Structure formats: structure tokens, C-alpha cells
Amino acid sequence: MHTMALTASTAQGCDARDTHQPSRPGWIPPWFWSLIEPGGPNDPCQSDELGADHHMASSDADWPHDVPRPEVSLAPIPEPTPTWVPRTPEIPGPEQPQDPTPEPDPEGDAPEPPTQPQGQIANLLASLETRPKDYRRRYQRSEFGQGWADIDGNHCNTRNDILARDLRNVRKRGHCKVLSGILNGPYSGRVIHFQSGRYTSAKVQIDHVVALKDAWLTGAQNLDKERRIHLMNDPLNLLAVDGPANGDKGYKNAAEWLPPNEQFHCHYVARQIAVKARYHLWVTPQEHDTMAGVLAGCPPMRVENDSITDAG
């Protein structure tokens, strides 16, 4: 009877509470209210859908009475968001064909090639490498041998061979020694009467057309000693000239010095080109441009043995 009355009373209370939710009285502790409040774990109006684990966690059978009980949230725990999401690999599609390079229009205006000087000397200039001077090793005259040699085996040194070749009305003592002669100075255009002697021989000097120091700075330091000795004594690289002009030239290249006699520019530049080609020396960019500019106003020339001749 009691049980039926309680059940009926509870049912009526549950129906009434659907429209009115009572608030916690101030004299009831929060932890105790959480046990008896409508909707709490001991609320007879609630079903047991949360399961036994919830009632065990909410029970205060073993909880000390002098310690406030924390409120327990029954909100569902959100699932953690994965930090890594697998990506579907991108599969490249077929390569798109690139537009072919358009061929030049045969009827269009093609640029004309630059005018090149003709002749064997011009071909030799085109074959020379263009590079800056190489200062890695210090130049020493002794790298080219000690004085004049006898590379042709005629028992005369190179200086007397060149004097005998370039002077006219030559007078000698014995087989080799040139005592006197007349030189038409190629650098200055002056006529010089040569007389061998301590104070007169310097009026005519033997010039290295490609100066030895310039040759050293443009590849001769890479040659072996025997090849350098031949370069110093090579008749192709030697000319009898008047002393002051030779001193003015020093070791300058064609971009830095040209003979005062403009009529000799063609043969002077052609001889330098022939020497550098023979010994695989290079030219500086400025030197190349100067040489090409000189050859543009020259007749075709070629090398024959140890001299430069007109090719026409």
C-alpha cells in the first residue's frame, strides 16, 4: 500500500515537474543537491539509460563528509580531431606538348653577317683564342734563353742573321759579323745608316714583333723552355728597326702601340697574328679588335715560311 502510494505520488510529481524545474534552496549544499536535484542520478523520474558506471561514479558512499564534492559534468566528450589527414596523391596528367620553336621565315629579313677581312692572316686571327693577360707567374727574360742562339745551325747568331736579312749594302767581317748596312726603318719610315760599334750599334735594334713579355702574358709561360728559346730566335718574330721606335714600343701589344709609320700597320699586325698562331698564344679582347680593324683596310695577306706576303 505504501509502495503503491509512493509510486503514484512520484508519478504525479514527475508530471508536475515537466512544467516547473525547482531551484536549489540556499541551505542545501551543492554536492548534496546534485544527488537529489530533478534529473540527478537519484531522481526517480530518470531512467537508467546512462548505465551502472554513471551511478557508481556519482555515488557518495565513500566520499568524506567534510570535503565538498565537485560537480560532475555529464556532457559527452568530443572526439579528438586527427592531426594528420591522409591526402589523396595527385596523379599528373599527360604532358601537354610544347609549342615548337618557330622556324625563321625564309622570306624575312635576315641580319647580314659582319664583314670579315679575307685572306690567310684573317683566318689565323679568327682562330686565335681571346683572353685577358695572365699575370700568375712573373716574367723573366731568362725564361727565353741566354742571349741570341743559332737555331738554324749556320754558325751565326740570330742578331747577325736578321741584320743581314733586313739591311741592304751589307758589309761583313768573316762569315757572320755584320759591320755596316742601310736600313729603311719599318716603324718610323726613316733611312738609317748602320755602323757596328760600341756607340753606334744601338741605332738599329732587333725587335721582337710580339714582345717577349707580351708573349709570356698570353700563353708563352705554358710552353717548355726549348719552345720559348725558339720563339725568341724565330725570324718570323724578328725585325731590324730603328732604336728609338723600339724603345717606345717596349712590350706593348697592338692595342697599346702601333708603328708611327701607318703604311707598315698591315704587315706589322699580320706578323704578330702569324707568330701568335704559330706558338698557340692568345690575344686580349682589345688586341683582337685592333687587329681586326687594321686588317679590314689591308689587302689579303698570307704567311710564307718566315715572312708575310700579299695573297693577291
Side-chain angles (χ1 to χ4, degrees):
M1 197 69 186
H2 264 310
T3 303
M4 294 181 60
L6 178 61
T7 304
S9 169
T10 301
Q12 292 176 0
C14 291
D15 294 338
R17 200 185 63 190
D18 290 340
T19 58
H20 176 69
Q21 296 290 339
S23 60
R24 177 178 66 85
W27 55 272
I28 299 178
W31 64 271
F32 185 75
W33 179 254
S34 66
L35 299 177
I36 64 174
E37 65 174 332
N42 295 325
D43 186 1
C45 297
Q46 288 289 330
S47 64
D48 197 23
E49 293 177 353
L50 295 178
D53 290 341
H54 172 74
H55 292 292
M56 292 179 62
S58 303
S59 173
D60 61 344
D62 300 325
W63 194 269
H65 296 286
D66 57 343
V67 178
R69 181 181 178 89
E71 297 183 3
V72 179
S73 174
L74 300 180
I77 301 175
E79 295 184 2
T81 304
T83 57
W84 175 81
V85 178
R87 299 177 58 186
T88 304
E90 296 182 0
I91 302 176
E95 294 185 359
Q96 298 296 328
Q98 298 181 355
D99 295 336
T101 303
E103 297 183 358
D105 184 4
E107 299 181 359
D109 295 332
E112 296 182 1
T115 303
Q116 297 288 347
Q118 302 298 315
Q120 185 178 353
I121 292 297
N123 295 337
L124 290 178
L125 176 60
S127 70
L128 294 181
E129 186 179 2
T130 302
R131 292 174 54 183
K133 294 180 180 179
D134 184 358
Y135 290 96
R136 289 178 299 173
R137 295 175 59 189
R138 189 169 71 90
Y139 163 74
Q140 295 184 18
R141 178 70 176 254
S142 60
E143 294 286 354
F144 292 85
Q146 300 294 333
W148 297 111
D150 177 22
I151 61 174
D152 60 1
N154 66 350
H155 305 290
C156 299
N157 67 31
T158 305
R159 172 178 167 82
N160 281 290
D161 284 342
I162 299 304
L163 288 173
R165 184 197 69 183
D166 292 350
L167 273 60
R168 54 188 174 87
N169 298 337
V170 174
R171 187 170 63 91
K172 293 182 179 181
R173 183 180 65 215
H175 175 65
C176 296
K177 179 65 175 181
V178 175
L179 298 177
S180 63
I182 300 173
L183 174 69
N184 294 323
Y187 289 174
S188 64
R190 296 191 307 111
V191 176
I192 303 169
H193 293 270
F194 169 74
Q195 186 70 38
S196 179
R198 177 179 298 180
Y199 303 105
T200 57
S201 290
K203 291 183 179 180
V204 174
Q205 300 178 10
I206 308 302
D207 178 46
H208 290 91
V209 180
V210 174
L212 296 182
K213 185 173 182 179
D214 177 62
W216 178 264
L217 298 176
T218 57
Q221 58 184 283
N222 302 322
L223 303 176
D224 57 40
K225 186 67 173 286
E226 182 179 358
R227 193 71 171 154
R228 288 197 296 267
I229 291 174
H230 200 283
L231 170 60
M232 176 176 173
N233 293 271
D234 191 340
L236 181 63
N237 193 34
L238 298 172
L239 285 176
V241 301
D242 56 295
N246 187 38
D248 184 49
K249 171 192 172 182
Y251 62 89
K252 302 180 182 72
N253 62 27
E256 302 161 338
W257 188 88
L258 288 173
N261 180 16
E262 295 183 2
Q263 295 181 356
F264 194 68
H265 284 185
C266 290
H267 278 258
Y268 176 75
V269 167
R271 192 174 285 265
Q272 284 193 330
I273 293 171
V275 170
K276 293 209 166 189
R278 176 174 289 184
Y279 291 92
H280 304 287
L281 308 180
W282 65 76
V283 292
T284 67
Q286 298 83 0
E287 184 181 9
H288 176 277
D289 293 345
T290 300
M291 289 175 166
V294 170
L295 291 186
C298 299
M301 293 173 290
R302 64 177 183 268
V303 184
E304 287 189 358
N305 299 323
D306 297 328
S307 61
I308 304 298
T309 62
D310 293 338

